[in-house]
Amino acid sequence: MTTLEATLFTVGELFGEGETHYEIPIYQRNYAWGVEQIEQMIDDVWAVAQADADDYFLGNLIVARKPAGPKTNVVTFEVVDGQQRLTTLFMLLTHLKVDPRARLTYQSRRNATHALTRLTTSDDDEGAGIHAGFKVIESRMGKFKTPEDRDTFQQFLEGNVQLVRAVLPAQTDLNKYFEIMNTRGQQLEQVDIVKARLMSYLRNEAGAVEDDRACFAWVWDACSQMDSYIQMALTPGDTNLRDAIFSPTWDRFTVSQFDDLLPKRPQARTRSGASRSTGMSIREALQLYARTPEEPAEEDAENRRFESPIKFPSLLLHALKVLRGTADEDDVDGHLDDSKLIKLFESEFKPLSEAQRSVRAKQFVEVLLQCKFVLDNFVLKREFTATNADDGAWSLKRLTRGESVPERGGPTKVSARFPNAFSPGTGEREDTPVDDATREVLLLQSMFRVTYTSPRTMHWITRILREPLFGLSQQGAADSILCVLRTHARQKVQEAFFTDAQPTGFNIERIVFTYLDYLLATRGADPRFSPDPTFTFVYRNSVEHFFPQHANGDDDGWNLVTPDDEELHMFGNLALVSVSTNSKFSNNLPPYKANKTEIVRQSTKLRLMADLVKSGATWDKTAIRQHDQAMVKLLREDLREAGHDV
């Protein structure tokens, strides 16, 4: 039997092989990581480095060795899985001025390969995704407070961050493997271990422990289907069971206690198969991937157009926080660190007796089910339709029962409907315009989503999951979520901007910009500037100086604000924009920037600044100070309304 060649490398070792060439094949998509994925990788590595960990496993790199050419010692590996991670690491090392000895190229994509060789010297449209990704890296790495922090990060990245390079056997059908891996996704060994341990804790005096474990697995597996609404995932193809658990309208709980769910469990084996109690080797993982996945149920295909804001390990940690009820520790990032999933569950269950563990495990799966219901029906998603298929659009919709359609020669088919989450009506169509309550909750949630991109910092989701939303009207649920999120946002703004001397420039945290944009979009700045009901948050992580730091000396007015003027870095001269926007704005003066409508619309604060310039105002030191005072006043007034002392 042909064996799989698997070797553990540090990042430094992986890219330190001088006669190694990694090639991204043509059947792979272009580089597509954006702000969220890149920042999460950097933040994860930095968090582990600060914790003085010995190492950090980043994942697997699946490759195939290509036949060697004549008279060469170079070994070329075709990258089957892991190219996004590999390319990001390559760019990160380049930014850190580490010259990777191993080569990385894109097969039949000269522009992409060329972009990798000119990361620090070009920002043209060649390899646009790669250049955009490199700018995200530059922006995030620029936030390290000291050179020592940056050195610590680099040393840990090169010497302690590890990957397994698995070389497939020579006869492997690479296209097939690539297709299977993209379908299956990545294995979650810690999730499997936690599941097995919790199931092992279950006890039943009547001796029906296997029934308890089967019920636990049924709920757990349904909750793990993150891009499927729980109403569908828990009762696939069984509308009668759905009626019983989620009411005849499918939009509320009537059964959520473990003992009540037990007799309703379908007797058929769950789709995920048997539980695994141990981790898998690389070879076992590949064998699992190689199995042909089941096609989703016909009724399930429609609701899979939605993408959850978090993955299953994060949901488990949010549910654990809700179970603990430790609201005073909500903002501890370590409580949402999925690399510590097993340890966090051990700390909760290990001190308990056997009987207590059994009760606690049942309580946890009840909380998990309730959290999944709230997450699906009251927390935003990305929705992919024919009109927004590429990147999706923010969506906040609940699942309800649709129409019953008689099938010729068969049973009646009942469809699902996805109305706006907080619409007061019943039976409304999916194309009904977004109601005011849903729009405001969606705007506030999307503000948090683009502000805190790392899963371990998404404490705002815990706050929603903890809210007692069951039994409330749609408007009542919206008001409850708005209240808890506004309170959280105001607390963060006060801590970031009003505790000591107000920060300037790149030291201003992202929440200050995004919350101000939210206020301007919903309230307006003053009677001259009305709220913007069309404003939508997009991912932004680059601080833009409206009057540039290095103005073009050939333009009139280039010296109205100089690099030595403190106004240059004041909040009044800054806005938050996307990385690509920042490079396009470059060193142009405010009158030029004000007319770039597609860019200006990213930020209500930036739109306000642009409108002032277009109305005839000169953007100089006086204008910056006036705008700064007006924006800070707006933030102060909002915080004081909530009782904050600022």
Side-chain angles (χ1 to χ4, degrees), residues 253-384:
F253 267 122
T254 55
V255 178
S256 61
Q257 299 299 309
F258 189 89
D259 290 341
D260 294 331
L261 287 165
L262 195 59
K264 297 185 181 299
R265 178 184 64 86
Q267 296 306 304
R269 185 184 180 190
T270 56
R271 285 192 294 173
S272 64
S275 170
R276 298 190 309 273
S277 60
T278 61
M280 295 182 294
S281 68
I282 297 296
R283 184 175 185 79
E284 290 169 333
L286 291 173
Q287 290 172 346
L288 177 65
Y289 290 142
R291 298 174 188 166
T292 303
E294 292 184 32
E295 291 294 325
E298 182 180 353
E299 66 168 12
D300 200 35
E302 175 68 10
N303 80 77
R304 287 181 181 273
R305 73 179 194 239
F306 301 101
E307 180 182 87
S308 174
I310 58 175
K311 298 191 180 301
F312 187 49
S314 294
L315 174 62
L316 293 175
L317 294 176
H318 283 288
L320 186 61
K321 286 176 63 181
V322 173
L323 179 70
R324 286 173 169 171
T326 52
D328 57 331
E329 299 177 0
D330 261 357
D331 290 352
V332 179
D333 291 353
H335 290 177
L336 293 178
D337 184 354
D338 63 3
S339 69
K340 301 176 181 177
L341 191 70
I342 295 173
K343 292 181 179 179
L344 288 166
F345 273 86
E346 281 185 345
S347 68
E348 176 66 20
F349 284 86
K350 193 172 184 179
L352 305 178
S353 67
E354 284 192 6
Q356 290 172 330
R357 288 176 184 172
S358 180
V359 172
R360 199 63 164 167
K362 293 180 181 180
Q363 290 174 341
F364 174 76
V365 83
E366 291 172 356
V367 170
L368 176 63
L369 179 59
Q370 293 165 13
C371 285
K372 184 62 162 66
F373 182 89
V374 173
L375 182 75
D376 287 344
N377 293 276
F378 298 116
V379 178
L380 87 172
K381 294 178 170 63
R382 296 299 282 183
E383 182 177 3
F384 299 87

Side-chain angles (χ1 to χ4, degrees), residues 321-588:
K321 286 176 63 181
V322 173
L323 179 70
R324 286 173 169 171
T326 52
D328 57 331
E329 299 177 0
D330 261 357
D331 290 352
V332 179
D333 291 353
H335 290 177
L336 293 178
D337 184 354
D338 63 3
S339 69
K340 301 176 181 177
L341 191 70
I342 295 173
K343 292 181 179 179
L344 288 166
F345 273 86
E346 281 185 345
S347 68
E348 176 66 20
F349 284 86
K350 193 172 184 179
L352 305 178
S353 67
E354 284 192 6
Q356 290 172 330
R357 288 176 184 172
S358 180
V359 172
R360 199 63 164 167
K362 293 180 181 180
Q363 290 174 341
F364 174 76
V365 83
E366 291 172 356
V367 170
L368 176 63
L369 179 59
Q370 293 165 13
C371 285
K372 184 62 162 66
F373 182 89
V374 173
L375 182 75
D376 287 344
N377 293 276
F378 298 116
V379 178
L380 87 172
K381 294 178 170 63
R382 296 299 282 183
E383 182 177 3
F384 299 87
T385 64
T387 57
N388 55 33
D390 291 338
D391 298 321
W394 298 125
S395 171
L396 187 53
K397 296 180 178 179
R398 68 185 191 274
L399 184 149
T400 65
R401 186 187 184 101
E403 298 178 351
S404 299
V405 180
E407 293 281 306
R408 178 180 297 179
T412 299
K413 179 180 178 182
V414 184
S415 63
R417 181 185 287 120
F418 302 93
N420 297 317
F422 303 107
S423 59
T426 58
E428 68 173 5
R429 296 171 57 87
E430 290 188 30
D431 57 0
T432 301
V434 178
D435 56 281
D436 291 342
T438 300
R439 168 167 169 70
E440 186 161 8
V441 175
L442 181 60
L443 188 66
L444 192 53
Q445 289 189 14
S446 60
M447 180 207 75
F448 276 108
R449 185 67 185 88
V450 302
T451 302
Y452 299 106
T453 56
S454 172
R456 60 166 51 99
T457 62
M458 295 181 185
H459 304 291
W460 61 276
I461 292 181
T462 310
R463 284 169 160 76
I464 298 175
L465 300 182
R466 184 181 287 121
E467 281 296 285
L469 301 175
F470 301 110
L472 296 178
S473 66
Q474 300 306 123
Q475 184 62 54
D479 290 342
S480 179
I481 292 174
L482 284 172
C483 180
V484 71
L485 291 186
R486 283 175 182 152
T487 299
H488 185 45
R490 287 161 171 159
Q491 175 188 344
K492 289 296 186 183
V493 171
Q494 182 175 27
E495 293 172 353
F497 202 67
F498 290 110
T499 50
D500 299 312
Q502 289 179 9
T504 60
F506 300 111
N507 292 321
I508 302 175
E509 292 187 22
R510 198 178 301 177
I511 184 63
V512 181
F513 291 102
T514 55
Y515 188 62
L516 179 61
D517 279 338
Y518 165 76
L519 290 179
L520 291 172
T522 55
R523 299 185 181 185
D526 56 50
R528 294 177 299 160
F529 299 99
S530 61
D532 183 0
T534 66
F535 177 69
T536 301
F537 278 104
V538 297
Y539 286 103
R540 302 169 295 158
N541 71 330
S542 184
V543 175
E544 165 69 18
H545 288 70
F546 195 48
F547 195 101
Q549 297 183 79
H550 306 288
N552 189 337
D554 294 330
D555 295 332
D556 292 337
W558 67 272
N559 58 351
L560 288 173
V561 184
T562 71
D564 296 328
D565 293 326
E566 63 176 336
E567 288 84 358
L568 183 66
H569 301 293
M570 289 178 65
F571 184 54
N573 189 45
L574 306 176
L576 200 64
V577 298
S578 66
V579 171
S580 60
T581 290
N582 189 283
S583 64
K584 291 177 182 177
F585 264 7
S586 188
N587 297 325
N588 293 298

Side-chain angles (χ1 to χ4, degrees), residues 596-640:
K596 296 298 180 181
T597 305
E598 289 301 312
I599 295 175
V600 166
R601 68 191 303 177
Q602 293 182 15
S603 163
T604 50
K605 182 180 188 296
L606 183 58
R607 193 205 75 178
L608 185 59
M609 297 155 72
D611 286 349
L612 288 170
V613 171
K614 288 195 288 187
S615 68
T618 300
W619 196 258
D620 55 13
K621 290 186 290 185
T622 300
I624 291 173
R625 284 192 173 274
Q626 290 175 345
H627 181 66
D628 184 89
Q629 292 168 3
M631 297 299 98
V632 173
K633 179 182 177 182
L634 184 62
L635 288 171
R636 285 186 187 277
E637 289 177 346
D638 179 78
L639 266 61
R640 284 171 177 164

Side-chain angles (χ1 to χ4, degrees), residues 7-266:
T7 309
L8 184 68
F9 291 90
T10 66
V11 170
E13 292 169 344
L14 189 72
F15 287 99
E17 296 180 317
E19 295 182 338
T20 300
H21 177 194
Y22 294 102
E23 181 180 80
I24 312 299
I26 190 64
Y27 58 79
Q28 294 263 25
R29 62 175 176 165
N30 290 323
Y31 181 75
W33 270 18
V35 173
E36 180 181 4
Q37 297 94 337
I38 295 172
E39 287 193 344
Q40 182 178 337
M41 174 189 280
I42 295 174
D43 290 344
D44 287 350
V45 171
W46 178 232
V48 178
Q50 287 180 298
D52 295 326
D54 293 332
D55 52 57
Y56 176 60
F57 181 65
L58 195 57
N60 305 323
L61 177 65
I62 312 299
V63 299
R65 184 182 285 105
K66 299 185 72 172
K71 299 180 181 180
T72 179
N73 294 323
V74 175
V75 178
T76 299
F77 292 109
E78 183 173 319
V79 179
V80 180
D81 188 62
Q83 69 114 338
Q84 303 288 335
R85 188 185 308 116
L86 185 70
T87 304
T88 303
L89 288 171
F90 183 91
M91 294 193 294
L92 188 53
L93 290 174
T94 301
H95 171 78
L96 292 168
K97 295 182 169 53
V98 176
D99 185 17
R101 297 182 63 196
R103 292 181 58 208
L104 176 63
T105 62
Y106 280 74
Q107 184 185 55
S108 302
R109 293 178 188 160
R110 294 177 55 192
N111 288 351
T113 300
H114 190 51
L116 286 175
T117 65
R118 304 174 65 226
L119 288 171
T120 60
T121 60
S122 173
D123 59 359
D124 54 29
D125 291 333
E126 290 189 347
I130 290 173
H131 283 301
F134 189 70
K135 289 185 181 298
V136 172
I137 291 173
E138 288 181 320
S139 177
R140 176 59 187 87
M141 296 299 294
K143 295 178 183 177
F144 280 108
K145 296 180 179 180
T146 65
E148 290 75 19
D149 285 348
R150 187 182 175 94
D151 290 342
T152 299
F153 175 88
Q154 179 175 338
Q155 291 170 9
F156 189 84
L157 176 72
E158 291 189 77
N160 303 82
V161 176
Q162 301 174 333
L163 300 92
V164 166
R165 186 178 72 192
V167 184
L168 296 173
Q171 69 273 19
T172 302
D173 183 338
L174 299 184
N175 286 287
K176 179 63 174 177
Y177 256 106
F178 176 70
E179 178 184 349
I180 291 170
M181 287 184 175
N182 274 309
T183 302
R184 282 293 183 183
Q186 57 183 196
Q187 68 187 56
L188 299 170
E189 291 186 0
Q190 289 202 60
V191 168
D192 296 327
I193 294 171
V194 169
K195 175 185 176 183
R197 286 183 178 177
L198 293 184
M199 290 175 65
S200 72
Y201 295 153
L202 295 175
R203 298 288 182 270
N204 191 312
E205 294 181 0
V209 66
E210 289 305 318
D211 288 341
D212 285 355
R213 290 173 179 171
C215 183
F216 185 102
W218 169 47
V219 176
W220 178 286
D221 292 345
C223 290
S224 71
Q225 299 178 44
M226 293 302 292
D227 295 333
S228 177
Y229 278 72
I230 188 61
Q231 295 100 309
M232 294 290 201
L234 192 67
T235 63
D238 191 341
T239 56
N240 291 329
L241 181 58
R242 197 170 304 150
D243 290 348
I245 296 177
F246 299 104
S247 83
T249 56
W250 299 356
D251 60 355
R252 59 187 176 89
F253 267 122
T254 55
V255 178
S256 61
Q257 299 299 309
F258 189 89
D259 290 341
D260 294 331
L261 287 165
L262 195 59
K264 297 185 181 299
R265 178 184 64 86

